[in-house]
PDB file of all heavy atoms in Angstrom:
ATOM      1  N   ALA X  11      -3.575 -17.929  -5.485  1.00  0.00           N
ATOM      2  CA  ALA X  11      -3.714 -16.864  -6.492  1.00  0.00           C
ATOM      3  C   ALA X  11      -2.399 -16.117  -6.675  1.00  0.00           C
ATOM      4  O   ALA X  11      -1.973 -15.844  -7.817  1.00  0.00           O
ATOM      5  CB  ALA X  11      -4.819 -15.912  -6.079  1.00  0.00           C
ATOM      6  N   CYS X  21       6.165 -15.891 -16.834  1.00  0.00           N
ATOM      7  CA  CYS X  21       5.966 -16.370 -18.201  1.00  0.00           C
ATOM      8  C   CYS X  21       5.968 -15.217 -19.202  1.00  0.00           C
ATOM      9  O   CYS X  21       6.396 -15.368 -20.356  1.00  0.00           O
ATOM     10  CB  CYS X  21       4.668 -17.150 -18.318  1.00  0.00           C
ATOM     11  SG  CYS X  21       4.668 -18.754 -17.492  1.00  0.00           S
ATOM     12  N   PHE X  45      10.181   9.094  26.843  1.00  0.00           N
ATOM     13  CA  PHE X  45      10.187   7.739  26.337  1.00  0.00           C
ATOM     14  C   PHE X  45      10.456   7.708  24.842  1.00  0.00           C
ATOM     15  O   PHE X  45       9.910   8.526  24.071  1.00  0.00           O
ATOM     16  CB  PHE X  45       8.850   7.064  26.615  1.00  0.00           C
ATOM     17  CG  PHE X  45       8.779   5.630  26.138  1.00  0.00           C
ATOM     18  CD1 PHE X  45       9.160   4.595  26.957  1.00  0.00           C
ATOM     19  CD2 PHE X  45       8.343   5.351  24.843  1.00  0.00           C
ATOM     20  CE1 PHE X  45       9.094   3.273  26.511  1.00  0.00           C
ATOM     21  CE2 PHE X  45       8.284   4.034  24.406  1.00  0.00           C
ATOM     22  CZ  PHE X  45       8.655   3.013  25.226  1.00  0.00           C
ATOM     23  N   LYS X  87       6.197 -13.451  -0.381  1.00  0.00           N
ATOM     24  CA  LYS X  87       6.982 -13.255   0.840  1.00  0.00           C
ATOM     25  C   LYS X  87       6.697 -11.918   1.455  1.00  0.00           C
ATOM     26  O   LYS X  87       6.637 -11.759   2.681  1.00  0.00           O
ATOM     27  CB  LYS X  87       8.491 -13.382   0.522  1.00  0.00           C
ATOM     28  CG  LYS X  87       9.419 -13.171   1.723  1.00  0.00           C
ATOM     29  CD  LYS X  87       9.163 -14.145   2.851  1.00  0.00           C
ATOM     30  CE  LYS X  87      10.342 -14.237   3.824  1.00  0.00           C
ATOM     31  NZ  LYS X  87      10.633 -13.018   4.521  1.00  0.00           N
ATOM     32  N   THR X  93       2.047  -9.361   7.163  1.00  0.00           N
ATOM     33  CA  THR X  93       1.106 -10.061   8.028  1.00  0.00           C
ATOM     34  C   THR X  93       1.755 -10.421   9.373  1.00  0.00           C
ATOM     35  O   THR X  93       1.153 -10.239  10.434  1.00  0.00           O
ATOM     36  CB  THR X  93       0.587 -11.321   7.332  1.00  0.00           C
ATOM     37  OG1 THR X  93      -0.020 -10.963   6.083  1.00  0.00           O
ATOM     38  CG2 THR X  93      -0.436 -12.053   8.175  1.00  0.00           C
ATOM     39  N   ARG X  94       2.972 -10.902   9.300  1.00  0.00           N
ATOM     40  CA  ARG X  94       3.677 -11.284  10.524  1.00  0.00           C
ATOM     41  C   ARG X  94       4.070 -10.054  11.313  1.00  0.00           C
ATOM     42  O   ARG X  94       4.013 -10.044  12.561  1.00  0.00           O
ATOM     43  CB  ARG X  94       4.950 -12.080  10.153  1.00  0.00           C
ATOM     44  CG  ARG X  94       5.648 -12.669  11.349  1.00  0.00           C
ATOM     45  CD  ARG X  94       5.850 -14.179  11.152  1.00  0.00           C
ATOM     46  NE  ARG X  94       6.275 -14.781  12.405  1.00  0.00           N
ATOM     47  CZ  ARG X  94       7.399 -15.466  12.550  1.00  0.00           C
ATOM     48  NH1 ARG X  94       8.197 -15.633  11.539  1.00  0.00           N
ATOM     49  NH2 ARG X  94       7.680 -16.022  13.706  1.00  0.00           N
ATOM     50  N   VAL X 140      -4.482  17.225  17.131  1.00  0.00           N
ATOM     51  CA  VAL X 140      -4.231  16.756  15.756  1.00  0.00           C
ATOM     52  C   VAL X 140      -4.578  15.278  15.712  1.00  0.00           C
ATOM     53  O   VAL X 140      -4.028  14.483  16.499  1.00  0.00           O
ATOM     54  CB  VAL X 140      -2.757  16.948  15.325  1.00  0.00           C
ATOM     55  CG1 VAL X 140      -2.510  16.352  13.950  1.00  0.00           C
ATOM     56  CG2 VAL X 140      -2.397  18.427  15.326  1.00  0.00           C
ATOM     57  N   ASN X 158      16.470  -4.843 -15.480  1.00  0.00           N
ATOM     58  CA  ASN X 158      16.236  -3.405 -15.627  1.00  0.00           C
ATOM     59  C   ASN X 158      14.827  -3.041 -15.212  1.00  0.00           C
ATOM     60  O   ASN X 158      13.861  -3.694 -15.615  1.00  0.00           O
ATOM     61  CB  ASN X 158      16.451  -2.987 -17.097  1.00  0.00           C
ATOM     62  CG  ASN X 158      17.881  -3.253 -17.567  1.00  0.00           C
ATOM     63  OD1 ASN X 158      18.829  -2.921 -16.872  1.00  0.00           O
ATOM     64  ND2 ASN X 158      18.009  -3.856 -18.752  1.00  0.00           N
ATOM     65  N   ASP X 163      10.274   3.034 -18.979  1.00  0.00           N
ATOM     66  CA  ASP X 163      10.483   2.639 -20.384  1.00  0.00           C
ATOM     67  C   ASP X 163       9.191   2.662 -21.201  1.00  0.00           C
ATOM     68  O   ASP X 163       8.198   2.040 -20.806  1.00  0.00           O
ATOM     69  CB  ASP X 163      11.097   1.236 -20.456  1.00  0.00           C
ATOM     70  CG  ASP X 163      11.492   0.835 -21.845  1.00  0.00           C
ATOM     71  OD1 ASP X 163      12.107   1.657 -22.538  1.00  0.00           O
ATOM     72  OD2 ASP X 163      11.164  -0.307 -22.260  1.00  0.00           O
ATOM     73  N   TYR X 169       1.259   4.103 -17.909  1.00  0.00           N
ATOM     74  CA  TYR X 169       0.131   3.200 -18.162  1.00  0.00           C
ATOM     75  C   TYR X 169      -0.239   2.406 -16.919  1.00  0.00           C
ATOM     76  O   TYR X 169      -1.422   2.188 -16.622  1.00  0.00           O
ATOM     77  CB  TYR X 169       0.444   2.252 -19.332  1.00  0.00           C
ATOM     78  CG  TYR X 169      -0.788   1.502 -19.766  1.00  0.00           C
ATOM     79  CD1 TYR X 169      -1.757   2.119 -20.590  1.00  0.00           C
ATOM     80  CD2 TYR X 169      -1.050   0.203 -19.324  1.00  0.00           C
ATOM     81  CE1 TYR X 169      -2.910   1.462 -20.942  1.00  0.00           C
ATOM     82  CE2 TYR X 169      -2.207  -0.469 -19.674  1.00  0.00           C
ATOM     83  CZ  TYR X 169      -3.126   0.152 -20.496  1.00  0.00           C
ATOM     84  OH  TYR X 169      -4.294  -0.497 -20.862  1.00  0.00           O
ATOM     85  N   LEU X 175      -5.494   3.908 -11.444  1.00  0.00           N
ATOM     86  CA  LEU X 175      -6.539   4.941 -11.397  1.00  0.00           C
ATOM     87  C   LEU X 175      -7.886   4.380 -11.799  1.00  0.00           C
ATOM     88  O   LEU X 175      -8.917   4.770 -11.265  1.00  0.00           O
ATOM     89  CB  LEU X 175      -6.147   6.112 -12.331  1.00  0.00           C
ATOM     90  CG  LEU X 175      -5.008   7.010 -11.839  1.00  0.00           C
ATOM     91  CD1 LEU X 175      -4.544   7.930 -12.978  1.00  0.00           C
ATOM     92  CD2 LEU X 175      -5.434   7.846 -10.645  1.00  0.00           C
ATOM     93  N   ALA X 191     -11.545   3.974   8.273  1.00  0.00           N
ATOM     94  CA  ALA X 191     -10.718   4.348   7.131  1.00  0.00           C
ATOM     95  C   ALA X 191     -11.328   5.484   6.326  1.00  0.00           C
ATOM     96  O   ALA X 191     -10.627   6.334   5.755  1.00  0.00           O
ATOM     97  CB  ALA X 191     -10.497   3.136   6.221  1.00  0.00           C
ATOM     98  N   LEU X 197     -10.589  13.840   7.558  1.00  0.00           N
ATOM     99  CA  LEU X 197      -9.927  14.573   8.655  1.00  0.00           C
ATOM    100  C   LEU X 197      -9.616  16.010   8.304  1.00  0.00           C
ATOM    101  O   LEU X 197      -9.851  16.936   9.096  1.00  0.00           O
ATOM    102  CB  LEU X 197      -8.640  13.857   9.072  1.00  0.00           C
ATOM    103  CG  LEU X 197      -8.766  12.573   9.884  1.00  0.00           C
ATOM    104  CD1 LEU X 197      -7.403  12.014  10.195  1.00  0.00           C
ATOM    105  CD2 LEU X 197      -9.562  12.817  11.155  1.00  0.00           C
ATOM    106  N   ASP X 212      -8.409  11.466  -2.158  1.00  0.00           N
ATOM    107  CA  ASP X 212      -9.177  11.025  -3.316  1.00  0.00           C
ATOM    108  C   ASP X 212      -8.262  10.166  -4.200  1.00  0.00           C
ATOM    109  O   ASP X 212      -7.134   9.850  -3.849  1.00  0.00           O
ATOM    110  CB  ASP X 212      -9.743  12.223  -4.086  1.00  0.00           C
ATOM    111  CG  ASP X 212      -8.640  13.186  -4.541  1.00  0.00           C
ATOM    112  OD1 ASP X 212      -7.455  12.849  -4.436  1.00  0.00           O
ATOM    113  OD2 ASP X 212      -8.995  14.281  -5.057  1.00  0.00           O
ATOM    114  N   ALA X 222       0.763   7.748  -7.111  1.00  0.00           N
ATOM    115  CA  ALA X 222       1.835   8.592  -7.598  1.00  0.00           C
ATOM    116  C   ALA X 222       2.826   7.794  -8.455  1.00  0.00           C
ATOM    117  O   ALA X 222       3.155   6.641  -8.128  1.00  0.00           O
ATOM    118  CB  ALA X 222       2.578   9.226  -6.426  1.00  0.00           C
ATOM    119  N   ASN X 245      31.124  12.253   8.036  1.00  0.00           N
ATOM    120  CA  ASN X 245      30.166  11.366   7.383  1.00  0.00           C
ATOM    121  C   ASN X 245      29.083  12.141   6.654  1.00  0.00           C
ATOM    122  O   ASN X 245      27.990  11.621   6.403  1.00  0.00           O
ATOM    123  CB  ASN X 245      29.515  10.385   8.396  1.00  0.00           C
ATOM    124  CG  ASN X 245      29.092   9.094   7.737  1.00  0.00           C
ATOM    125  OD1 ASN X 245      29.742   8.631   6.797  1.00  0.00           O
ATOM    126  ND2 ASN X 245      28.016   8.516   8.208  1.00  0.00           N
ATOM    127  N   VAL X 247      27.626  13.809   3.252  1.00  0.00           N
ATOM    128  CA  VAL X 247      27.769  13.502   1.814  1.00  0.00           C
ATOM    129  C   VAL X 247      28.304  14.725   1.080  1.00  0.00           C
ATOM    130  O   VAL X 247      27.751  15.819   1.148  1.00  0.00           O
ATOM    131  CB  VAL X 247      26.429  13.081   1.214  1.00  0.00           C
ATOM    132  CG1 VAL X 247      26.594  12.844  -0.295  1.00  0.00           C
ATOM    133  CG2 VAL X 247      25.899  11.821   1.896  1.00  0.00           C
ATOM    134  N   ASN X 253      20.307   8.187  -9.455  1.00  0.00           N
ATOM    135  CA  ASN X 253      19.983   6.981 -10.230  1.00  0.00           C
ATOM    136  C   ASN X 253      18.487   6.680 -10.058  1.00  0.00           C
ATOM    137  O   ASN X 253      18.100   5.684  -9.475  1.00  0.00           O
ATOM    138  CB  ASN X 253      20.843   5.794  -9.774  1.00  0.00           C
ATOM    139  CG  ASN X 253      20.628   4.555 -10.609  1.00  0.00           C
ATOM    140  OD1 ASN X 253      19.964   4.606 -11.653  1.00  0.00           O
ATOM    141  ND2 ASN X 253      21.164   3.438 -10.165  1.00  0.00           N
ATOM    142  N   GLU X 303      -5.995  12.953 -20.484  1.00  0.00           N
ATOM    143  CA  GLU X 303      -6.391  13.547 -19.223  1.00  0.00           C
ATOM    144  C   GLU X 303      -6.400  12.506 -18.110  1.00  0.00           C
ATOM    145  O   GLU X 303      -6.908  11.394 -18.314  1.00  0.00           O
ATOM    146  CB  GLU X 303      -7.779  14.187 -19.327  1.00  0.00           C
ATOM    147  CG  GLU X 303      -7.840  15.371 -20.290  1.00  0.00           C
ATOM    148  CD  GLU X 303      -9.225  16.008 -20.335  1.00  0.00           C
ATOM    149  OE1 GLU X 303     -10.092  15.555 -19.561  1.00  0.00           O
ATOM    150  OE2 GLU X 303      -9.413  16.944 -21.102  1.00  0.00           O
ATOM    151  N   ASP X 308     -13.584  11.018  -6.394  1.00  0.00           N
ATOM    152  CA  ASP X 308     -13.792  10.960  -4.954  1.00  0.00           C
ATOM    153  C   ASP X 308     -13.973   9.505  -4.538  1.00  0.00           C
ATOM    154  O   ASP X 308     -14.557   8.704  -5.276  1.00  0.00           O
ATOM    155  CB  ASP X 308     -15.042  11.755  -4.564  1.00  0.00           C
ATOM    156  CG  ASP X 308     -14.852  13.239  -4.709  1.00  0.00           C
ATOM    157  OD1 ASP X 308     -13.688  13.701  -4.574  1.00  0.00           O
ATOM    158  OD2 ASP X 308     -15.837  13.960  -4.958  1.00  0.00           O
ATOM    159  N   GLY X 323     -21.575   2.669  -1.278  1.00  0.00           N
ATOM    160  CA  GLY X 323     -20.463   2.415  -0.380  1.00  0.00           C
ATOM    161  C   GLY X 323     -19.452   1.447  -0.968  1.00  0.00           C
ATOM    162  O   GLY X 323     -19.653   0.854  -2.041  1.00  0.00           O
ATOM    163  N   LYS X 340      -9.361 -15.668 -14.992  1.00  0.00           N
ATOM    164  CA  LYS X 340      -8.812 -15.747 -16.376  1.00  0.00           C
ATOM    165  C   LYS X 340      -7.378 -16.219 -16.343  1.00  0.00           C
ATOM    166  O   LYS X 340      -6.979 -17.132 -17.092  1.00  0.00           O
ATOM    167  CB  LYS X 340      -8.916 -14.384 -17.046  1.00  0.00           C
ATOM    168  CG  LYS X 340      -8.342 -14.331 -18.455  1.00  0.00           C
ATOM    169  CD  LYS X 340      -8.486 -12.937 -19.039  1.00  0.00           C
ATOM    170  CE  LYS X 340      -7.580 -11.933 -18.338  1.00  0.00           C
ATOM    171  NZ  LYS X 340      -7.630 -10.573 -18.968  1.00  0.00           N
TER     172      LYS X 340
END
Side-chain angles (χ1 to χ4, degrees):
C21 290
F45 181 90
K87 178 59 162 62
T93 302
R94 188 127 192 237
V140 175
N158 299 314
D163 187 46
Y169 190 79
L175 287 168
L197 285 180
D212 58 9
N245 209 33
V247 177
N253 185 9
E303 295 182 2
D308 289 333
K340 178 180 68 176

